[in-house]
């Protein structure tokens, strides 16, 4: 379990980094926290010719309030930094509550937000959470910068809208609208494992207490963050109660999601979890939304 | 009164070194000029080898040599049969053993067919990628229930079927018992594969000293002496030219007593041939294929009982997965057969098994070594019987326990040590009652559970019993020496993999010689220190080597008394050994330090009496007549989330009887580790093979070991029923914790879920599988 030979470069500025990425293109891999990339290299599933280490690029590690009152997160911000940030707890409580579900402390100490988002593991929490939060990503290359909304970033299994010469520079999370609630639910075999099924939910109520917006974004049930549009539609314009959340969760399980089997779970068991976790998430999210009304 | 050492919870002598990272493990051995080996392993599970192309790899940077089976010439031979079949009538046995490097055929994925030796491990692995294997693929034998079917592909030349063995053992007359029974219950049980996953993988460092013509091997083996003897024979060297050191080892659990692993055969040969030291450290991925595994069996069993729940007989037909080769003979399957009857007085027993070859990694004993399966079948049968007869679970067990007056109790079948299965001693009822009291059995079922159920909670209790045949022969030896410094050294041939031998053996010696445990230095697993022995396996270290240490310590004590009585001019009976001195009990000021006495016993000048042996030293051996049977009871309370089938263990109780206890703290550690492995085995770990024999989860990401948050606090207590088979009265404790956890989970989960018709007949389980089992019940 030793990686194949590779060249190692360590840019210190974002400009150098994107120049090197452009120069080596498909032969290169960006090294962020290394918590996903290094194991795949040790298994020789990835054999990049060049490793471009972003750990020395200070410009990529920042965490601040966005002009709109949300968050601006540099791609190289460690997952543990998010977890321990009072700012994140205030401006994006869903993101904050998600962090303990990701791996173990030791891994979060190294693992980065950008690395997790770019890696696009269908079982990862952060992509689903970013879609649920309607976040957007700033991508950067020698050609310039562009913004991509999170829900348009994930194209397929481990496949994103990133061009070979691009990196994720920044993540912008909008501030929570009024009367919103959220929940992160997941089930993993052991603490720190990737989830068998999980979801991030955000809901919004109007002044009359009716649901005006709902997002249920599942993980581990498809090629990437997986929305449940039928479930969301069922909630719109209605006053949430136990019967409605149950019905919506069932719609997620039976209309929206087509989970797959693997060695850890049958498709039927995953479907059950989609319903159970969906219901738990909606119950919690609506309760929070009411509290904040 | 002198200080007692035996039986005390003394802190471990080896821990300071281990805790600060100063102990030598195989990978800590660095030699100048050392080469690194990478084995090239097959991706196919079953294939005929057409060609191995090493040309491109030879040209890679840093590569010194690449060897295949052809290069080994006459040295290439299948490994030895380690355990011959027992003397059972009409037994069919087809031995097939692993080879150093695959030559004609690949029999399991991960089987090595070439080895690359390079200046670094990185270079060796780079080159290994460039060794190409051309094969003709064959369909794989994976499912053990169809391994003997006429259309099954054949794995080994010269066999008309994939049959490793067929064995029938009987006690009494089951057919008659069945006719007399009020009820007969038939069930089929499944137990699947796992891996020991020791924290330290295997590793070997070999050094050939050409000037001294001596071969030194650091090897993570549980049996250094057998490795030395075997290698000397294979390499045409004298045993004195070969030194095998089994240094500190991060866990053995059985797979490290496989002999010989291909790497152990190939690398010493290569080191001599290349005249360079070589290191190979197994990586975790290799460990999933190249280290032996255990546990695949399918049982079709029957229990015949009276209406009152008295067991009249058991019939069990089972299939055992031997894997691709079977160097360990019938050990695992025999253990299943011989452990099934457990603590119960079963007058009639018919047990028949087929051991089959499959295209999966080799099966050899792993902590429990087949006992799990037998206990699972028996305990589950009793649970089903209790339910069908309307008898309480604990009560049906009590009605069938072997009573103390029946020991030694003869089960009339042949055990893995070829001796009749006779339990030496036991006192089962108090342990069962103690465990029931500790888990608060009556109150839980009467008050707690109904209350929790009313709250919508699904909480259940499990309670099961088991026996463990331990401490089998043949023998071990030990040498005890009092040095001139007053320190005592002990050497024995067995290896140690974390069991605390450095402390428990020191306690045995300290008890005899009256010295501080910390002044007793134990060496295990170095063939240059002790020549004779078998190894650490079958929960025998403490029993067999422990009693050898005891015998040697007693001999030294006698030497001390004899010599001191001359030196102090006192009768031996007046002397006592206290605080590192020998003294006259009634006149403690008349004393000699043991070191001083050792010095006087080894004079540099002058004459000694004819026949005098120098020093205060003795070597002695111990070989038990047969194994000692330990026993115990596990109980637990578990909560299940009925929506997700996730579990939480609320309480876990172990009451254990391993005879006299040397060190209760070390014993508890053994039990805790065993229970952790048992929990993994019952609910988390499973090796999943696809129909082509490919392992689907060869990493710790997908092979789920229990973690600190999945293993609960374990409450332990002990019953001490000394074994009459050895002077210390001890029984083994190494495997007990792991053995009964499967049936415990099954019973407790059924009790928690409380769904009519739900019967758990398989291990391992998982939330997904539980959900499936429950879903299947619903119309
Ligand atoms: C035992 C274990 C358990 C884990 N459990 C979980 C879990 O439960 N949930 C979970 O979500 N994750 C889990 N992870 C993964 C962990 O969160 C990783 O840290 C994360 O997925 C990748 O982040 P990284 O910074 O380590 O990225 P790296 O491993 O360095 O990189 C990952 C990929 O992203 C690319 N990349 C990195 N940064 C950028 C960038 N700025 N722009 C473009 N591409 C980039 C890399 O080239 C690489 O392809 C686990 C990891 C381990 C080892």
């Amino acid at each position: 379990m030793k990686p194949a030979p590779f060249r190692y470069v360590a840019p210190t500025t974002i400009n150098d980094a994107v120049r090197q990425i452009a120069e080596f293109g498909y032969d290169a891999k960006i090294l962020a926290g290394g918590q996903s990339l290094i194991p795949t290299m040790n298994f020789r599933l990835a054999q990049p010719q060049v490793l471009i280490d972003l750990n020395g690029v200070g410009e990529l590690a920042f965490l601040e309030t966005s002009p709109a009152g949300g968050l601006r997160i540099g791609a190289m911000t460690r997952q543990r930094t998010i977890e321990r940030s009072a700012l994140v707890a205030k401006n994006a409580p869903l993101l904050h509550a998600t962090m303990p579900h990701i791996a173990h402390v030791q891994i979060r100490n190294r693992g980065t937000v950008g690395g997790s988002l770019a890696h696009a593991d269908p079982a990862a929490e952060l992509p689903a959470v970013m879609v649920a939060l309607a976040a957007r990503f700033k991508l950067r290359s020698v050609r310039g910068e562009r913004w991509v909304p999170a829900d348009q970033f994930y194209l397929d299994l481990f496949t994103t809208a990133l061009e070979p010469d691009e990196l994720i520079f920044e993540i912008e999370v909008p501030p929570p609208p009024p009367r919103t609630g959220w929940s992160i639910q997941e089930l993993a075999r052991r603490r720190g494992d990737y989830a068998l099924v999980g979801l991030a939910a955000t809901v919004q109520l109007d002044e009359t207490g009716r649901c005006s917006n709902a997002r249920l974004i599942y993980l581990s049930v498809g090629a990437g963050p997986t929305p449940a549009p039928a479930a969301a539609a069922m909630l719109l314009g209605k006053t949430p109660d136990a019967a409605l959340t149950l019905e919506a969760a069932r719609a997620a399980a039976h209309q929206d999601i087509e989970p797959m089997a693997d060695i850890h779970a049958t498709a039927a068991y995953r479907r059950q979890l989609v319903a159970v976790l969906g219901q738990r998430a909606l119950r919690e999210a609506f309760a929070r939304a009411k509290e904040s009304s | 009164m002198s200080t007692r050492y035996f039986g005390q919870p003394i802190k471990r002598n080896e821990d300071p070194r281990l805790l600060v990272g100063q102990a030598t493990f195989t990978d800590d051995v660095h030699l100048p000029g050392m080469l690194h080996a990478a084995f090239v392993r097959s991706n196919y599970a079953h294939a005929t080898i057409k060609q191995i192309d090493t040309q491109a790899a030879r040209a890679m940077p840093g590569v010194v040599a690449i060897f295949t089976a052809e290069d080994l010439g006459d040295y290439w031979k299948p490994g030895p049969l380690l355990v011959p079949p027992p003397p059972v009538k009409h037994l069919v046995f087809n031995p097939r053993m692993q080879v150093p490097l695959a030559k004609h055929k690949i029999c399991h994925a991960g089987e090595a067919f070439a080895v690359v030796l390079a200046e670094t491990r990185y270079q060796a692995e780079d080159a290994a990628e460039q060794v190409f294997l051309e094969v003709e693929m064959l369909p794989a034998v994976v499912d053990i229930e169809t391994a003997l079917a006429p259309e099954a592909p054949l794995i080994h030349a010269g066999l008309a079927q994939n049959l490793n063995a067929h064995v029938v053992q009987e006690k009494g007359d089951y057919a008659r018992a069945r006719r007399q029974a009020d009820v007969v219950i038939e069930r089929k049980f499944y137990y699947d594969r796992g891996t020991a996953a020791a924290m330290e993988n295997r590793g070997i460092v070999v050094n050939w000293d050409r000037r001294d013509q001596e071969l030194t091997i650091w090897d993570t083996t549980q049996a250094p002496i057998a490795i030395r003897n075997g290698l000397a024979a294979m390499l045409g060297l004298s045993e004195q030219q070969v030194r095998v050191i089994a240094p500190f080892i991060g866990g053995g659990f059985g797979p490290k007593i496989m002999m010989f692993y291909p790497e152990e055969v190939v690398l010493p040969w290569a080191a001599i041939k290349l005249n360079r030291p070589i290191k190979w450290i197994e990586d975790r991925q290799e460990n999933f294929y190249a280290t032996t595994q255990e546990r695949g069996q399918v049982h079709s069993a029957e229990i015949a009982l009276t209406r009152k729940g008295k067991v009249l007989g058991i019939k069990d037909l089972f299939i055992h997965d031997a894997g691709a080769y079977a160097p360990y003979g019938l050990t695992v399957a025999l253990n299943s057969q011989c452990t099934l009857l457990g603590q119960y007085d079963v007058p009639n027993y018919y047990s028949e098994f087929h051991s089959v070859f499959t295209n999966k990694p080799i099966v050899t004993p792993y902590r429990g070594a087949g006992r799990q399966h037998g206990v699972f079948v028996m305990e589950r049968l009793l649970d089903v019987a209790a339910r069908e007869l309307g008898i309480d679970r604990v009560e049906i067990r009590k009605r069938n326990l072997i009573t103390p007056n029946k020991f030694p109790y003869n089960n009339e079948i042949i055990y893995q040590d070829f001796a009749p299965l006779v339990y030496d001693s036991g006192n089962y009822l108090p342990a069962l009652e103690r465990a029931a009291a500790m888990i608060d059995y009556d109150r839980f079922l009467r008050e707690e559970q109904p209350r929790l159920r009313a709250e919508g909670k699904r909480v259940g209790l499990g309670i099961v019993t088991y026996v463990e045949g331990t401490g089998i022969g043949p023998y071990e030896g030990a040498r005890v020496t009092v040095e001139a410094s007053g320190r005592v050294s002990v050497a024995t041939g067995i290896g140690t993999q974390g069991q605390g031998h450095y402390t428990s053996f020191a306690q045995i010696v300290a008890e005899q010689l009256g010295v501080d445990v910390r002044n007793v230095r134990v060496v295990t697993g170095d063939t240059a220190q002790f020549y004779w022995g078998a190894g650490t396996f079958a929960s025998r270290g403490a029993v067999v080597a422990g009693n050898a240490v005891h015998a040697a310590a007693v001999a030294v004590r006698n030497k001390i008394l004899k010599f001191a009585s001359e030196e102090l001019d006192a009768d031996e009976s007046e002397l006592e050994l206290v605080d590192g001195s020998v003294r006259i009990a009634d006149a403690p000021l008349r004393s000699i330090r043991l070191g001083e006495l050792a010095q006087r016993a080894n004079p540099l000048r002058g004459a000694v009496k004819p026949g005098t042996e120098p020093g205060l030293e003795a070597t002695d051996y111990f070989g038990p007549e047969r194994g000692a049977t330990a026993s115990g009871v596990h109980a637990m309370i578990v909560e299940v989330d009925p929506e997700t089938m996730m579990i939480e263990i609320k309480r876990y109780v172990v009451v254990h009887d391993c005879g006299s206890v040397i060190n209760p703290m070390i014993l508890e550690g053994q039990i805790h580790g065993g229970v952790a492995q048992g929990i993994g085995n019952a609910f988390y770990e499973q090796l999943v093979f696809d129909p082509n024999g490919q392992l689907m989860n060869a990493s710790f990401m997908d092979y789920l070991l229990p973690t600190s948050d999945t293993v609960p606090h374990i409450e332990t207590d002990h019953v001490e029923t000394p074994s009459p088979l050895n002077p210390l009265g001890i029984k083994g404790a190494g495997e007990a914790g792991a053995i009964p956890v499967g049936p415990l989970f099954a019973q407790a989960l059924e009790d928690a879920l409380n769904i009519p018709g739900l019967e758990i007949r398989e291990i391992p389980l998982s939330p997904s599988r539980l959900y499936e089992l429950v879903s299947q019940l619903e119309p």
Side-chain angles (χ1 to χ4, degrees):
Chain A
M1 292 181 70
K2 306 281 185 220
F6 57 84
R7 223 185 110 190
Y8 171 85
V9 295
T12 52
T13 65
I14 183 92
N15 286 332
D16 279 352
V18 291
R19 209 174 303 125
Q20 283 162 343
I21 296 168
E23 182 186 340
F24 298 112
Y26 280 111
D27 291 338
K29 271 275 177 199
I30 293 169
L31 174 67
Q35 299 303 297
S36 297
L37 180 57
I38 299 295
T40 37
M41 287 172 64
N42 287 347
F43 278 114
R44 293 189 180 231
L45 297 171
Q47 303 200 0
Q49 305 288 306
V50 185
L51 218 50
I52 301 169
D53 184 353
L54 295 187
N55 284 278
V57 184
E59 296 158 83
L60 282 168
F62 57 87
L63 174 60
E64 59 194 45
T65 306
S66 66
L71 288 175
R72 290 184 60 214
I73 305 170
M76 284 300 290
T77 307
R78 305 289 164 187
Q79 293 160 4
R80 185 78 169 147
T81 307
I82 302 292
E83 182 180 355
R84 303 183 68 158
S85 159
L87 178 68
V88 176
K90 184 164 143 285
N91 291 9
L94 167 59
L95 175 61
H96 189 255
T98 299
M99 303 318 291
H101 291 290
I102 303 175
H104 308 269
V105 170
Q106 294 84 341
I107 290 162
R108 296 196 295 272
N109 278 335
R110 293 293 306 165
T112 64
V113 176
S116 177
L117 295 176
H119 190 55
D121 190 314
E125 287 84 358
L126 288 179
V129 166
M130 292 303 174
V131 174
L133 288 173
R136 54 180 198 148
F137 307 153
K138 184 157 85 181
L139 313 185
R140 170 89 173 251
S141 71
V142 280
R143 295 175 288 118
E145 283 176 0
R146 60 178 178 132
W147 284 97
V148 178
D151 62 355
Q152 288 167 33
F153 184 74
Y154 294 99
L155 304 181
D156 206 342
L157 206 61
F158 295 103
T159 309
T160 67
L162 277 167
E163 296 294 334
D165 64 347
E166 280 180 318
L167 55 70
I168 299 181
F169 184 2
E170 178 187 328
I171 297 97
E172 189 190 67
V173 180
R179 295 178 304 279
T180 53
W182 53 272
S183 178
I184 173 87
Q185 297 286 334
E186 72 167 55
L187 211 95
R189 289 298 315 274
R190 303 166 305 181
R191 205 182 175 80
D193 281 340
Y194 278 108
L196 294 172
V197 172
L199 81 154
T202 52
V203 297
Q204 193 177 4
L205 299 174
D206 64 17
E207 282 89 350
T208 67
R210 290 194 177 83
C211 177
S212 58
N213 193 5
R215 280 205 189 86
L216 288 80
I217 311 296
Y218 280 88
L219 49 114
S220 265
V221 292
T226 310
M234 198 167 274
L235 298 165
L236 284 185
K238 300 206 187 100
T239 308
D241 60 16
L244 182 66
T245 52
L246 177 63
E247 205 188 333
R250 286 205 179 130
H254 295 281
Q255 294 173 42
D256 290 319
I257 311 279
E258 211 34 77
M260 299 211 299
D262 62 19
I263 60 167
H264 299 298
T266 62
Y269 176 62
R270 279 215 165 84
R271 200 182 290 287
Q272 159 83 357
L273 295 185
V274 167
V276 170
L277 298 180
Q279 199 195 355
R280 290 178 187 178
L282 287 175
R283 212 187 293 145
E284 187 175 67
F286 280 122
R288 285 201 169 107
K290 274 186 204 139
E291 252 169 56
S292 77
S293 304
Chain B
M1 212 11 238
S2 61
T3 322
R4 293 271 343 227
Y5 294 104
F6 192 95
Q8 300 305 307
I10 289 170
K11 281 195 188 159
R12 304 201 321 169
N13 277 346
E14 54 267 58
D15 282 347
R17 247 195 304 170
L18 287 166
L19 292 175
V20 298
Q22 296 295 315
T24 299
F25 290 80
T26 301
D27 201 15
D28 293 318
V29 178
H30 303 284
L31 301 172
M34 190 164 74
L35 293 174
H36 294 263
F39 283 81
V40 194
R41 301 183 184 281
S42 167
N43 292 324
Y44 314 103
H46 197 195
T48 308
I49 298 180
K50 294 273 168 222
Q51 204 199 319
I52 300 168
D53 178 1
T54 60
Q55 206 170 354
R58 279 176 208 278
M60 299 278 292
V63 173
V64 172
I66 299 179
F67 299 117
T68 65
E70 294 301 331
D71 300 305
L72 296 178
D74 289 347
Y75 187 69
W76 187 95
K77 274 193 201 76
L81 174 64
L82 297 172
V83 186
V88 172
K89 258 189 278 172
H90 307 303
L91 171 141
V92 177
F93 182 59
N94 301 312
R96 287 294 183 280
M97 271 69 72
Q98 74 288 355
V99 296
L101 291 170
K103 194 182 212 168
H104 309 294
K105 256 198 109 169
I106 299 288
C107 292
H108 68 87
E111 188 168 7
F113 57 88
V115 60
V116 179
L117 298 148
E119 299 294 342
T120 70
R121 175 73 178 242
Y122 286 84
Q123 291 171 325
E125 290 193 19
D126 291 344
E129 255 194 345
Q130 301 300 319
V131 176
F132 301 106
L133 176 68
E134 197 186 306
V135 299
E136 185 187 320
M137 283 261 289
L138 299 168
V141 181
V142 178
D143 174 22
I144 60 175
E145 289 188 271
T146 55
L148 295 179
E151 64 278 11
L154 293 178
I155 299 174
H156 292 297
L159 292 184
Q161 263 189 311
N162 297 312
L163 182 67
N164 166 229
H166 176 226
V167 178
V168 177
Q169 293 219 64
E170 274 186 276
K171 168 189 186 182
D173 180 353
Y174 176 76
R176 209 182 59 204
R178 191 183 205 282
R179 284 194 299 275
Q180 291 166 349
D182 296 321
V183 269
V184 175
I185 293 164
E186 297 172 33
R187 290 293 187 276
K188 196 164 176 186
F189 300 99
Y190 297 83
Y191 215 108
D192 204 2
R193 267 195 192 217
T195 180
M199 198 179 294
E200 185 191 12
N201 290 328
R202 291 184 298 123
I204 295 165
V205 175
V206 195
N207 187 43
W208 170 243
D209 184 326
R210 189 151 63 167
R211 290 173 197 278
D212 289 341
Q213 297 281 296
E214 276 175 10
L215 185 68
T216 306
I217 298 153
W218 290 261
D219 185 359
T220 54
T221 180
Q222 294 173 236
I225 290 171
I227 295 286
R228 175 205 56 200
N229 297 350
L231 279 179
M234 282 185 254
L235 293 164
L237 298 171
S238 137
E239 285 170 13
Q240 303 286 358
Q241 284 174 283
V242 182
R243 178 182 181 191
V244 175
I245 302 167
F248 274 101
I249 295 176
F253 308 119
K256 285 189 179 132
I257 199 176
M258 224 291 278
M259 291 174 283
F260 287 81
Y261 275 109
E263 300 86 0
E264 284 171 325
V265 177
V266 172
L267 296 178
W269 173 89
I272 294 173
K273 187 167 173 75
L274 300 174
N275 195 30
R276 297 269 302 263
I278 299 174
K279 175 185 275 190
W280 171 74
I281 300 296
E282 182 185 53
D283 66 33
R284 187 56 70 182
Q285 201 180 11
E286 292 183 287
N287 183 268
F288 274 99
Y289 298 96
T291 287
T292 57
Q293 308 171 345
E294 211 209 278
R295 303 247 197 289
Q297 287 183 3
V298 177
H299 290 248
S300 301
E302 257 180 53
I303 185 167
L305 311 99
T306 67
R307 208 163 286 115
K308 290 232 162 96
K310 174 73 191 92
V311 180
L312 298 178
I314 304 269
K315 179 180 174 187
D316 181 36
L317 311 179
F318 72 95
I319 305 168
H320 168 73
D321 180 1
Y325 305 96
Y328 246 93
L330 301 177
T331 304
V332 175
L334 276 179
N335 273 345
S336 307
Q337 186 166 56
C338 289
T339 308
L340 187 141
L341 297 178
Q343 304 190 352
Y344 309 109
D345 187 7
V346 179
N348 303 288
Y349 182 38
Y350 177 91
S351 171
E352 171 175 359
F353 71 80
H354 291 90
S355 172
V356 299
F357 290 113
T358 59
N359 292 116
K360 288 184 276 184
I362 303 172
V363 168
T364 70
Y366 153 38
R367 200 175 204 172
R371 298 179 181 91
Q372 273 87 343
H373 315 72
V375 171
F376 185 64
V377 171
M378 185 68 189
E379 293 296 309
R380 291 275 66 200
L381 286 174
L382 284 174
D383 288 339
V384 177
R387 194 178 302 132
E388 296 207 353
L389 293 168
I391 302 173
D392 171 81
R393 298 172 255 176
V394 171
E395 182 55 33
I396 199 169
R397 287 172 167 82
K398 283 185 183 169
R399 287 182 194 172
N400 288 290
L401 291 179
I402 300 167
T403 50
N405 58 338
K406 291 205 170 166
F407 291 95
Y409 180 87
N410 192 346
N411 260 321
E412 298 172 30
I413 53 176
I414 303 294
Y415 193 45
Q416 59 154 316
D417 60 354
F418 308 159
L421 179 62
V422 177
Y423 297 170
D424 53 335
S425 64
N427 190 10
Y428 300 146
L429 185 61
L432 180 56
E433 286 180 333
R434 179 78 191 113
M438 282 170 76
I439 203 91
D440 219 354
Y441 182 81
D442 292 326
R443 205 182 58 83
F444 177 83
L445 293 187
R446 205 179 48 239
E447 296 170 22
E448 191 97 337
Q449 194 176 44
R451 183 175 61 72
L452 292 165
R453 279 186 184 156
E455 289 173 20
K457 294 206 170 119
R458 299 280 186 277
V459 187
L461 185 150
I463 182 162
V464 296
T465 79
Y466 64 97
V467 297
E468 186 203 348
T470 73
I472 57 171
Y475 79 95
E476 291 297 338
R479 184 181 63 247
V480 173
T481 312
V482 179
E483 296 173 6
S485 61
R487 295 178 63 89
V488 179
S489 65
V490 182
T492 170
I494 67 163
T496 195
Q497 303 88 34
Q499 296 91 336
H501 293 145
Y502 299 91
T503 311
S504 45
F505 292 164
Q507 285 177 258
I508 292 170
V509 171
E511 181 77 15
Q512 289 306 318
L513 304 188
V515 295
D516 190 320
V517 171
R518 286 165 298 187
N519 279 331
V520 182
R521 183 168 186 274
V522 177
V523 178
T524 70
D526 180 349
T527 61
Q529 296 276 340
F530 201 82
Y531 199 85
W532 303 99
T536 306
F537 56 92
S539 300
R540 68 191 290 279
V543 183
V544 187
N547 275 289
V549 168
H550 174 72
V554 168
V556 171
R557 178 186 174 89
N558 290 338
K559 278 192 180 176
I560 290 169
L561 291 174
K562 180 157 178 279
F563 192 33
S565 82
E566 291 164 15
E567 297 288 308
L568 293 173
D569 196 16
D571 195 79
E572 282 182 38
S573 62
E574 295 173 61
L575 300 178
E576 61 178 12
L577 274 66
V578 178
D579 289 342
S581 293
V582 52
R583 67 190 190 193
I584 296 169
D586 293 335
L589 291 179
R590 286 177 58 199
S591 77
I592 312 179
R593 308 286 308 159
L594 292 187
E596 167 68 21
L597 197 67
Q599 222 158 3
R600 289 192 209 169
N602 182 25
L604 287 176
R605 295 287 185 276
V608 294
K609 271 192 242 161
T612 306
E613 284 176 19
L616 300 177
E617 178 177 285
T619 300
D620 214 331
Y621 300 88
F622 178 75
E625 153 194 353
R626 56 173 192 272
T629 304
S631 61
V633 182
H634 287 207
M636 95 170 164
I637 291 176
V638 70
E639 176 164 2
V640 190
D641 176 339
E643 287 186 323
T644 65
M645 299 295 170
M646 295 292 283
I647 63 158
E648 190 189 334
I649 301 173
K650 299 286 192 187
R651 285 189 65 199
Y652 201 110
V653 165
V654 177
V655 179
H656 186 246
D657 185 349
C658 60
S660 311
V661 176
I662 306 171
N663 182 326
M665 193 165 66
I666 288 177
L667 173 60
E668 259 188 46
Q670 283 283 346
I671 290 172
H672 290 181
V675 169
Q677 270 178 325
I679 289 173
N681 183 204
F683 205 73
Y684 295 92
E685 302 176 44
Q686 183 166 22
L687 293 168
V688 183
F689 293 88
D690 78 0
N692 299 318
Q694 296 294 334
L695 182 56
M696 306 297 287
N697 54 342
S699 87
F700 282 161
M701 181 140 143
D702 287 318
Y703 185 83
L704 308 181
L705 290 173
T707 47
S708 55
D709 62 321
T710 46
V711 178
H713 171 71
I714 298 160
E715 304 159 56
T716 52
D717 198 5
H718 305 283
V719 170
E720 290 198 26
T721 313
S723 173
L725 298 178
N726 64 74
L728 293 175
I730 54 188
K731 302 176 175 183
E735 298 168 90
I739 292 173
V741 191
L744 183 70
F745 263 72
Q747 191 196 93
L749 290 171
E750 276 176 13
D751 189 41
L753 286 166
N754 191 31
I755 300 171
L758 176 66
E759 226 179 68
I760 297 171
R761 295 185 293 264
E762 64 190 52
I763 290 292
L765 298 161
S766 68
S768 177
R769 184 60 187 149
L770 272 182
Y771 179 76
E772 205 173 8
L773 290 175
V774 171
S775 304
Q776 283 164 0
L777 293 174
E778 282 152 18

